[in-house]
Amino acid sequence: MAETASNTLPLGTEIIDFELPDAVTANLYSLVDVQGERGTVIMFLCNHCPYVKHVIDEIVRVANDYRVLGFGFAAISSNDVEKYPEDHPDLMWKFARKHNFTFPYLYDRTQEVARNYKAECTPDFYLFDGEEKLVYHGQLDSSRPGNGHSINGRELREAMDALLGSRPVPGPQKPSVGCSIKWKYAP
């Protein structure tokens, strides 16, 4: 599996609105539907990526732990489903149900949202504060398939804890690493 690192989106970037269908409910969700009072986590995921599969249970734990503290969460899949049919919305809902998602799993058919966020890999995590400014963009933690590191969500948890404590988000922020987003056309 080829590793791809996330792109850099400058800290302080304003959160970018979207309107996408949820693969589980078929309801349309926009930013206002997923935002949290304390902050919002936008995650780019997909069904087939071994890096996502490796950490998916911890992603759900993080969302469950922090949702009750005022954070909103949304997962977005932007892959080309013609070339990667295992990421089709018909299978996204099964993946979400299997892993007990408590957040919407949105399908970015046009890939416009991924391009707007400069998303490059799955998984990829963007944390915006309560004022809709990017304060963290990077990895969940240092665990990768086969590297033996603990799956604990440390970096994302530390960033959200900093917001809860009105402290600066610790750095340096390490880019996420995973599978590349499967583009329909070259970005």
Side-chain angles (χ1 to χ4, degrees), residues 22-25 47 56 85-101 105:
D22 179 29
V24 176
T25 65
N47 298 349
I56 194 62
E86 58 268 42
D87 292 331
H88 193 279
D90 291 345
L91 299 175
M92 287 171 61
W93 78 266
K94 289 180 181 179
F95 188 81
R97 293 278 189 216
K98 177 183 177 182
H99 295 286
N100 299 309
F101 282 20
Y105 192 14

Side-chain angles (χ1 to χ4, degrees), residues 98-117:
K98 177 183 177 182
H99 295 286
N100 299 309
F101 282 20
T102 55
F103 45 83
Y105 192 14
L106 308 173
Y107 178 51
D108 179 19
R109 181 183 57 79
T110 67
Q111 301 182 318
E112 179 181 354
V113 176
R115 291 185 195 282
N116 288 343
Y117 276 83

Side-chain angles (χ1 to χ4, degrees), residues 11-182:
L11 296 180
T13 297
E14 287 192 28
I15 199 166
I16 302 160
D17 201 0
F18 51 80
E19 186 175 71
L20 297 171
D22 179 29
V24 176
T25 65
N27 294 332
L28 284 177
Y29 280 81
S30 65
L31 184 58
V32 70
D33 300 315
V34 300
Q35 280 182 294
E37 182 180 320
R38 298 288 207 140
T40 305
V41 177
I42 304 295
M43 308 171 279
F44 286 86
L45 306 178
C46 73
N47 298 349
H48 85 275
C49 174
Y51 295 89
V52 171
K53 289 177 179 179
H54 179 71
V55 297
I56 194 62
D57 292 333
E58 180 60 18
I59 290 170
V60 172
R61 275 191 293 277
V62 168
N64 289 340
D65 290 349
Y66 286 85
R67 195 170 32 108
V68 296
L69 299 174
F71 289 90
F73 291 81
I76 300 171
S77 179
S78 300
N79 279 355
D80 178 355
V81 297
E82 288 187 25
K83 292 180 186 161
Y84 293 85
E86 58 268 42
D87 292 331
H88 193 279
D90 291 345
L91 299 175
M92 287 171 61
W93 78 266
K94 289 180 181 179
F95 188 81
R97 293 278 189 216
K98 177 183 177 182
H99 295 286
N100 299 309
F101 282 20
T102 55
F103 45 83
Y105 192 14
L106 308 173
Y107 178 51
D108 179 19
R109 181 183 57 79
T110 67
Q111 301 182 318
E112 179 181 354
V113 176
R115 291 185 195 282
N116 288 343
Y117 276 83
K118 298 186 185 327
E120 190 63 33
C121 67
T122 59
D124 202 1
F125 303 90
Y126 299 75
L127 171 62
F128 296 87
D129 63 17
E131 296 177 7
E132 303 181 348
K133 303 286 186 198
L134 183 67
V135 295
Y136 179 81
H137 176 217
Q139 64 183 9
L140 178 71
D141 56 38
S142 61
S143 180
R144 308 285 185 266
N147 77 356
H149 293 206
S150 176
I151 303 170
N152 55 24
R154 180 179 173 188
E155 279 81 358
L156 184 58
R157 287 177 182 275
E158 286 178 352
M160 288 188 286
D161 288 343
L163 287 182
L164 286 171
S166 300
R167 298 183 315 270
V169 173
Q173 296 181 11
K174 296 178 184 172
S176 191
V177 173
C179 297
S180 66
I181 291 191
K182 309 311 183 209

